[in-house]
Amino acid sequence: MGMEDVVVLNGYRAIKEALVDYKDAFSSRPSVYLLNLVSGFGKDIALSKFNQAYLEKRRFAVSALKTLGMRMGPGSVEEHIREEARQLCIKLSEQGDGHPRDIADNLTVSVANIICSMVFGKRYGYDDEKFVELTKIIHKLLSQFEHGSSQLMTVFPFLRFVPGVNSANRILVECINKVHEFLRQEIIKHRETLDNENPRDFIDLILTELQTQEQTDCFTEENIVWIIQNMFFAGMETTANTLRWGLLYMVLCPEEQQKVHAELDSVLGTDHDVPTLAHRSQLPYTEATIMEIQRIRLVAPLNAPHAATEDTTFRGYDIPAGMQVLTNLWSAHMDPEYWPDPETFDPRRFLDSDGKVVSRPDSYLPFSAGRRVCLGEQLAKMELFLLFSSLLKHFTLKLPEGVAAPSADDCMGLSPPTVNMCVTRR
Ligand code: HEM
């Protein structure tokens, strides 16, 4: 690819073998200029090379998310998400019934606010200027990666010195500086009120960890802002875009939407509140629908890039240390051997003969697998279930009368097409 050799793995077996069976050999990240730029040259988790520092940062983040996730009752992650689901439904109702509109921004704001609740210990009002600005900057930053200029620079890094072509470079630096300014202000406020015995949120946990751990070069003050940034960059657009794809498929397949409505009505009845996680096991069709959304339009079709940690012989090929390895997750999700008629949206694929959700289907890797598997997977699954089921419980989604159905094939990858849909209170 451009000036670099890249290995591309297609098909479930090869991908699983590389990510799981050869996990020590392929768990690093490649040295790609733009990725280095947005990760402070590996000071974060997601784009850090595979080394001791990475392991320590990841161990901390997994344990912090688990600590926060285990809290029960008010202040629990579930309650944060349910509160956001309620606010989202209120916001959509306030915007009026039935007229065509694009609700993508509403979804992004909700998902961003869930991360804010976990990381900063508070949510922001939908009209809070600083918060809206933060979500816009993150969106702008991440969308740079879909632009031609970025892709060119990834392939030909010397282009970052060419004026005009290097606009993505400039925009990324500007956006990162703004995000860091926002995060630093929150970190300062947390430091002033920190109680090591009672960490309130992710920032408190990270500050406490740094004060109490033996000082190592692996995990230092410098990493804080980059690790927090990861929670937003890795967790925001992925979740919001999955929801956007989900709502688009509900509009394109009204008969599937009806089945989800029927299941939600039969289990939740006339209760006006948003569902809880306890309802999940009683809503297999809804759960299977979410899984099918993540199968048919996974938001990271080529996964995050991996790289060989050492010289490795894989399936008879010699792969030198550092070489980029792309795992085509799309190919696993579209393989007719595992998914008959793979282009058809059919949630029943994820149900067994008793109507129960199949727990770990083969060739299904929306969060990847192995050492670098998404560390927000559990959080993302909670968000997808609670937000999707709340939206479908309260609203019917339709295309405006006389408007041709948009194609779900027009784009592949992170962002679904922009669709104006009629959102009507049920
Ligand atoms: C629907 C939502 C999500 C999807 C589909 C998704 C998917 C992925 C994928 C495919 C990877 C790359 C794995 C690899 O390199 O093999 C990844 C990594 C990661 N994700 Fe997620 N993700 C989602 C939500 C989240 C959330 C909510 C968070 C945290 C708040 C998060 C945090 C991360 C981090 C930190 C990594 C890097 C892991 C590492 O390199 O060790 N993700 N995710």
Side-chain angles (χ1 to χ4, degrees):
M1 198 165 73
M3 304 166 75
E4 306 254 345
D5 288 334
V6 173
V7 174
V8 182
L9 298 178
N10 290 300
Y12 175 62
R13 287 189 196 89
I15 294 172
K16 181 182 162 278
E17 202 175 319
L19 295 181
V20 179
D21 305 339
Y22 279 65
K23 58 180 183 293
D24 289 332
F26 295 124
S27 289
S28 204
R29 297 290 190 213
S31 205
V32 173
Y33 174 69
L34 288 182
L35 299 185
N36 287 339
L37 196 68
V38 291
S39 66
F41 288 80
K43 292 197 186 79
D44 70 342
I45 301 172
L47 299 170
S48 168
K49 297 223 174 336
F50 186 76
N51 51 31
Q52 191 55 33
Y54 161 77
L55 288 171
E56 285 193 26
K57 288 178 280 178
R58 182 167 168 120
R59 180 203 46 75
F60 161 76
V62 169
S63 129
L65 289 180
K66 200 167 162 195
T67 305
L68 297 171
M70 278 186 326
R71 290 186 180 160
M72 307 293 275
S76 66
V77 174
E78 176 178 6
E79 279 314 314
H80 284 315
I81 304 174
R82 290 186 72 222
E83 177 55 18
E84 223 39 66
R86 281 187 203 105
Q87 295 298 331
L88 176 61
C89 293
I90 291 171
K91 187 77 190 169
L92 293 178
S93 299
E94 280 171 3
Q95 287 169 351
D97 243 8
H99 62 90
R101 61 203 144 127
D102 177 19
I103 63 167
D105 284 351
N106 297 98
L107 300 176
T108 306
V109 166
S110 295
V111 172
N113 240 336
I114 293 168
I115 300 175
C116 288
S117 305
M118 294 191 65
V119 173
F120 306 143
K122 64 177 178 202
R123 70 178 296 279
Y124 290 83
Y126 275 57
D127 302 322
D128 185 297
E129 275 176 32
K130 275 178 77 184
F131 170 62
V132 173
E133 163 94 355
L134 176 74
T135 60
K136 287 198 173 137
I137 295 169
I138 295 175
H139 177 72
K140 184 172 173 187
L141 187 147
L142 295 177
S143 39
Q144 288 311 305
F145 286 94
E146 292 179 24
H147 285 180
S149 143
S150 307
Q151 317 227 328
L152 271 173
M153 260 191 291
T154 303
V155 179
F156 302 110
F158 60 83
L159 289 176
R160 68 182 185 273
F161 301 114
V162 179
V165 184
N166 67 2
S167 60
N169 193 43
R170 182 180 44 78
I171 293 170
L172 284 176
V173 173
E174 279 169 15
C175 290
I176 288 171
N177 287 341
K178 284 187 187 156
V179 171
H180 283 200
E181 198 183 305
F182 188 99
L183 297 182
R184 285 213 176 87
Q185 283 173 15
E186 285 297 335
I187 295 168
I188 290 170
K189 283 189 217 152
H190 275 68
R191 239 189 250 285
E192 287 165 0
T193 51
L194 179 68
D195 171 3
N196 282 336
E197 300 302 316
N198 296 298
R200 295 157 292 189
D201 47 41
F202 194 87
I203 296 187
D204 275 5
L205 286 166
I206 211 169
L207 292 175
T208 302
E209 167 87 8
L210 279 171
Q211 282 185 6
T212 51
Q213 74 162 8
E214 273 180 36
Q215 287 302 315
T216 63
D217 291 341
C218 296
F219 186 10
T220 67
E221 291 281 328
E222 247 198 311
N223 298 110
I224 301 181
V225 83
W226 295 98
I227 292 177
I228 297 172
Q229 170 196 286
N230 259 185
M231 298 298 122
F232 285 93
F233 288 8
M236 219 174 95
E237 298 274 299
T238 42
T239 314
N241 281 333
T242 304
L243 283 167
R244 285 177 63 196
W245 277 118
L247 300 187
L248 176 59
Y249 271 95
M250 291 300 94
V251 164
L252 295 175
C253 311
E255 65 292 353
E256 293 301 336
Q257 185 176 169
Q258 259 172 25
K259 287 182 200 163
V260 175
H261 278 154
E263 186 181 69
L264 288 166
D265 290 347
S266 75
V267 173
L268 303 167
T270 51
D271 183 355
H272 289 300
D273 203 358
V274 294
T276 66
L277 288 179
H279 290 120
R280 204 160 159 183
S281 59
Q282 301 167 57
L283 295 166
Y285 205 86
T286 308
E287 185 81 349
T289 303
I290 297 169
M291 291 174 86
E292 177 66 345
I293 292 161
Q294 289 201 278
R295 182 197 68 83
I296 200 160
R297 286 296 177 268
L298 78 173
V299 291
L302 282 181
N303 203 357
H306 283 235
T309 47
E310 58 198 7
D311 292 348
T312 306
T313 302
F314 181 73
R315 294 190 157 209
Y317 293 92
D318 292 331
I319 301 176
M323 184 177 276
Q324 186 168 167
V325 178
L326 293 178
T327 47
N328 182 356
L329 303 180
W330 179 266
S331 69
H333 283 203
M334 286 294 156
D335 185 343
E337 186 187 329
Y338 295 91
W339 311 106
D341 200 4
E343 288 291 349
T344 301
F345 185 83
D346 183 4
R348 286 169 306 169
R349 307 171 189 280
F350 292 97
L351 296 173
D352 65 17
S353 51
D354 298 326
K356 295 213 170 69
V357 176
V358 182
S359 63
R360 282 197 172 271
D362 280 347
S363 210
Y364 184 64
L365 299 163
F367 296 98
S368 185
R371 283 214 193 278
R372 307 267 337 195
V373 65
C374 172
L375 65 77
E377 177 173 353
Q378 295 314 322
L379 171 63
K381 283 180 174 166
M382 280 194 233
E383 292 184 71
L384 292 177
F385 172 74
L386 291 170
L387 291 173
F388 182 79
S389 60
S390 299
L391 286 171
L392 271 279
K393 172 169 174 13
H394 289 104
F395 300 99
T396 301
L397 311 162
K398 271 196 204 136
L399 280 176
E401 226 36 72
V403 169
S407 166
D409 295 332
D410 283 351
C411 47
M412 188 182 99
L414 267 176
S415 309
T418 302
V419 180
N420 288 321
M421 50 180 85
C422 304
V423 182
T424 312
R425 188 120 195 141
R426 299 180 65 222

